[in-house]
Amino acid sequence: MDKKIKNDAGYLWVFDYDNAEFERVRELCLADTNNKLRENYTKAKLKISDHIFFAIQYGFDNEPIAMSGVKEYTPDVCRIFNRWYLFPKSRGPWSKREELISALRFMNGSMRELFKLKYKLYFISMQQRNSKRAGKQLWWKAFTTMIYSLNKRWKSYDDGLVQVHEGNLASCYQNIIYMTIDNYTFEDWNPKIMSYDKHALRMNYEASLRNTT
Amino acid sequence: MKPVYEIQHNFDDIRLLEELKSQDATTYSDEKHGSYDNWKIINQTLRWAEREMQFFCNQFKLPYGSPRYYQLDANSVLLPHIDYNTTCSINHILNDEAAPVTFNDYGEFTYSTAVLDTTKMHGVNNLGKKNRYLFKISYFETTYEEIIQCLQN
């Protein structure tokens, strides 16, 4: 796959192979030392080959605005916005929600491409921010409210956190919002779930380990 | 040049809002952006909209534009975009305490009536607000600068 899709912000480049331009963009991303998740973008942790496709949104100046990929979980399920990253210079006048707004704009640009894929359940996942309050956290409620308002086919899973990575670490279980097609259901996917209370305990436990070692 | 130019004009808000609310809103859609459930167009009956547009344009010696109504649902966001096939528009807000428009490179603008440069990226953050009702006169050829020049003359 190698496509450029023009949009209001510039263009979206969708590809599925290693290349020098992506490595240039990766270096720009890794230069952002304020990014707490910086390690997720190193060569060891971000591989194009782990994705069905990867996409970079460019501005009219040919510089990257944001990037993310689509990752297959099962033949029917994929995660969108995998390894999402918004470049610092693109954080505009949208105050606290600027990153979210940019994400949605980016999503809109790639959504038509996504739904040409064969999957029956598309999901976005995000980690719980802290363990002070178990349950759906405010930032997640705001995010899901906005997504629903754009398209009512999105649903959030509200009975706990869903396992999106192998393992039992708290970060392996995340909030998810998903959209299904062809009568496919969340139960058809049937991923492992961790209750909000248990997850908060797990986060506290992992924090205590970090504090004592 | 700022992308928003405020105007003072007394539109007949009661009639316009009445006309807007008397008909069904349909999801806006265009070739470039697709559709969003929260951004709706209302354009089945435009009797008062046409009348107010003509009165306004005659008063300021502007070319006639295309009037229509839009609704941005409560507690939602109109994503940043560039209007489809539109060069500029005259926007008049029909409800109180409306959210400002945000232009990506310029910031937020709160207005009641204004000319907008819709060729520049803009959107509305209506989170925590009620439905936002808009009476809009769109131009497809006349530029933002030309409309402002007419208004200043």
Side-chain angles (χ1 to χ4, degrees), chain B residues 69-88:
Chain B
Y69 302 105
Y70 288 92
Q71 175 186 315
L72 177 60
D73 284 353
N75 206 26
S76 73
V77 172
L78 176 60
L79 295 182
H81 65 283
I82 290 170
D83 283 12
Y84 182 63
N85 278 350
T86 307
T87 47
C88 68

Side-chain angles (χ1 to χ4, degrees), chain B residues 28 41 53 57 63-70 83-91 116 118 134-142 147:
Chain B
Y28 173 83
I41 185 165
M53 181 276 292
C57 291
Y64 284 177
S66 296
R68 59 203 69 190
Y69 302 105
Y70 288 92
D83 283 12
Y84 182 63
N85 278 350
T86 307
T87 47
C88 68
S89 66
I90 288 152
N91 285 14
L116 267 68
T118 54
L134 176 68
F135 169 54
K136 179 173 176 176
I137 303 169
S138 296
Y139 288 92
F140 305 110
E141 287 174 3
T142 314
I147 294 288

